Amino acid sequence: MQLYNTLSAEERAELIDQAGKQRLTLSFYAYAKIEDPQQFRNDLFIAWNALDALGRIYVAHEGINAQMSVPAENFEAFRATLEVYDFMQGIRLNVAVEHDDHSFLKLTVKVRHKIVADGLNDASFDVTNKGVHLNAKAFNTILEDPNTIVVDFRNHYESEIGHFKGAITPDVETFRESLPIINDQLKDYKEDKNLVMYCTGGIRCEKASAYFKHQGFKNVFQLEGGIIQYAKQIKEEGLESKFIGKNFVFDNRLGERITEDIVSQCHQCGAPCDNHTNCANDGCHLLFIQCDNCRAQMENCCSTECQEITHLPLAEQVKLRSGKQVGNKIFRKGRSENLRFKHSGSLSDAPLATTQESKDIRQKIRLKKILIGKAEHFYTKASVGLFIIENHELTLGDKILISGPTTGNQELIVEKIMVNGRDNTVAVKGDKVTFEVPFRIRLSDKLYKIIN
């Protein structure tokens, strides 16, 4: 019985590409009393692995917190695996605004002490006495009230690329840091102000709202479903977005766009930019904002020192980082002296620029393709390739990708094909097909059909 992921991220990405099926990125959480988190975890893994569901999930005695990627065709079956549990019947699934088939490449379900590291002693206050939940329309309305104070309960690297206008954005690296800071900063407004809070998907505010009511705040509100649900509702209902910029997300996308405004800068040159990346040096992996020009010049590195390290032989790179602690390396390191244009804390609501089509594939949905065959021969004089179809079919007019270590990734449209030596319009599994190829192909090359 498989209880853990057995494929590498690279292997899983290849399988996703070959399947060519649309995947949905979603998140959800639920606070509940779970007697045996380990058994609960195992049961979920078995059910989700069978549905090809991937993601990062934390379970604890207090509930579940999940960010996932699920095949669209398995969405209802996935929902059914949740609703067998009473506390998840009718649960809200926050479906992402932008989808990427590679948002998650592993299924990781971990048992934790808490589903969110908040540093709170839950026994000291009533965690069920929560703030009032507001939908997008109600949230927009309360923001117009001069007695409203809106607080961003995310970390500095999240709020830097996007936030609600006029929000307090604590300069913190963890959720637990923000709680005492906000409590002290707003101590004189407990009686007469509306304390309105928001986060990515709602889970941080679920606990924070109860905490602040315990601290004596009389009027506590929270954005239901967080920024993810807000973005969905304003789109469906045609509402004005009070959020400006991009919403940071904790998967391979590192962000999904809410408005066309760019409110942050490249940390290296200062140009308007809101694309996060991780330093290519495996001994660093600093999270920072980098524009396309700096990415090309710095080779996805945060500094010349890291850039030089990436050029060393792999054995030397491993030796340099041996014995050094790089735990939680992707999301904890949001600051460095190497970043000259890093901003956090009090952030501007004025956009620096608006988005344009980016050359950077990091924030784009990756090419969706299906593996349909492999190269058998290349006729040099005629510039014709011979392929055998092993899966699905090839049709005249299809856009294809020929890929290999030497060939690279070459796209073209099939304008004329010969199937088993005769003119035809369709080739199916087992057929040998030839067509003109304006570049040399190799026997190791694979043939893909591009389907988006």
Side-chain angles (χ1 to χ4, degrees), residues 173-269:
E173 293 196 41
T174 64
F175 172 50
R176 69 173 65 192
E177 289 178 67
S178 64
L179 298 174
I181 291 174
I182 293 300
N183 189 38
D184 181 66
Q185 190 172 345
L186 302 181
K187 60 185 178 184
D188 296 329
Y189 303 103
K190 295 183 177 182
E191 296 286 339
D192 58 347
K193 295 290 186 181
N194 299 320
L195 175 58
V196 180
M197 56 185 67
Y198 70 90
C199 56
T200 306
I203 188 170
R204 283 176 270 192
C205 295
E206 199 77 5
K207 186 74 70 71
S209 66
Y211 169 77
F212 281 100
K213 290 187 73 173
H214 174 71
Q215 294 297 318
F217 287 85
K218 301 300 182 184
N219 306 306
V220 181
F221 303 85
Q222 64 190 87
L223 178 58
E224 184 176 17
I227 302 165
I228 297 174
Q229 188 68 10
Y230 177 87
K232 183 179 179 182
Q233 288 180 359
I234 62 171
K235 185 176 181 180
E236 291 175 347
E237 299 175 26
L239 303 174
E240 175 192 358
S241 177
K242 300 290 187 179
F243 186 95
I244 182 171
K246 182 186 284 186
N247 181 29
F248 186 94
V249 292
F250 291 84
D251 58 57
N252 291 334
R253 296 172 299 154
L254 294 180
E256 57 180 17
R257 184 155 299 288
I258 308 301
T259 72
E260 299 303 311
D261 306 291
I262 297 175
V263 297
S264 53
Q265 296 173 279
C266 171
H267 287 162
Q268 292 176 317
C269 73

Side-chain angles (χ1 to χ4, degrees), residues 399-416:
K399 188 173 184 180
I400 62 171
L401 171 73
I402 299 173
S403 178
T406 304
T407 306
N409 294 315
Q410 303 286 349
E411 297 179 23
L412 57 90
I413 295 175
V414 179
E415 297 179 346
K416 181 180 180 180

